[in-house]
């Protein structure tokens, strides 16, 4: 069962901004979500899925891929069971399907699970 859902993708021009949302479904999983690390990943056609950013359960710690550092910002609103990815100064190379995932246990990148189905971001030049 899909327990998180991404939204906010679209077609934009280089230099534009988008804000993606990752929302948990249901009260039971919502509680798990609020006490879990949440990450954003992306996958472009013909490429492997790559890490973009993540945020600790409390929001106190964040990490970013070098390719998006200074342009993207991850945040969360646990009252709304939602994690956001603000994407500014978008580039054509940011074009990909963006996925949200949850890490309830562990501290490694491969410990993320509970993946959403993704939202498409397309940046034209």
């Amino acid at each position: 069962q899909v327990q998180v859902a991404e939204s906010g993708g679209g077609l934009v021009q280089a230099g534009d901004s988008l804000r993606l949302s990752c929302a948990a479904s249901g009260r039971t999983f919502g509680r798990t979500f609020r006490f879990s690390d949440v990450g954003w990943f992306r996958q472009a056609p013909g490429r492997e899925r790559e890490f973009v950013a993540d945020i600790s359960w409390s929001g106190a710690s964040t990490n970013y891929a070098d390719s998006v550092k200074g342009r993207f910002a991850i945040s969360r609103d646990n009252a709304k069971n939602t994690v956001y990815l603000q994407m500014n100064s978008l580039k054509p190379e940011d074009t990909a399907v963006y996925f949200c995932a949850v890490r309830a246990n562990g501290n490694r990148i491969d410990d993320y699970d509970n993946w959403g189905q993704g939202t498409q971001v397309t940046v034209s030049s």
Side-chain angles (χ1 to χ4, degrees), residues 11 14 24 36 45 57 62 64 75 77 83 86 90 92 101-102 110 114 125:
L11 173 62
S36 298
W57 73 269
T62 59
Y64 297 92
S75 62
D77 185 347
V83 170
Q86 178 67 44
L90 283 163
V102 177
D110 58 3
N114 295 306
S125 60

Side-chain angles (χ1 to χ4, degrees), residues 28-120:
T28 299
F29 186 72
R31 187 181 184 278
T32 299
F33 183 88
R34 290 192 296 273
F35 286 93
S36 298
D37 304 332
V38 177
W40 285 98
F41 300 77
R42 66 188 183 187
Q43 187 168 21
R47 296 183 179 272
E48 296 182 353
R49 183 175 294 177
E50 65 176 345
F51 170 81
V52 176
D54 63 7
I55 186 167
S56 63
W57 73 269
S58 68
S61 179
T62 59
N63 297 288
Y64 297 92
D66 288 342
S67 60
V68 306
K69 197 170 297 181
R71 299 189 296 120
F72 291 9
I74 189 170
S75 62
R76 68 191 303 163
D77 185 347
N78 281 346
K80 297 181 178 180
N81 291 334
T82 302
V83 170
Y84 303 98
L85 183 68
Q86 178 67 44
M87 306 187 296
N88 299 322
S89 301
L90 283 163
K91 304 175 180 179
E93 49 263 47
D94 295 318
T95 296
V97 178
Y98 283 71
F99 298 90
C100 173
V102 177
R103 185 172 66 193
N105 299 289
N107 60 0
R108 298 172 58 188
I109 290 295
D110 58 3
D111 290 327
Y112 279 101
D113 56 10
N114 295 306
W115 296 85
Q117 296 192 66
T119 185
Q120 176 71 48

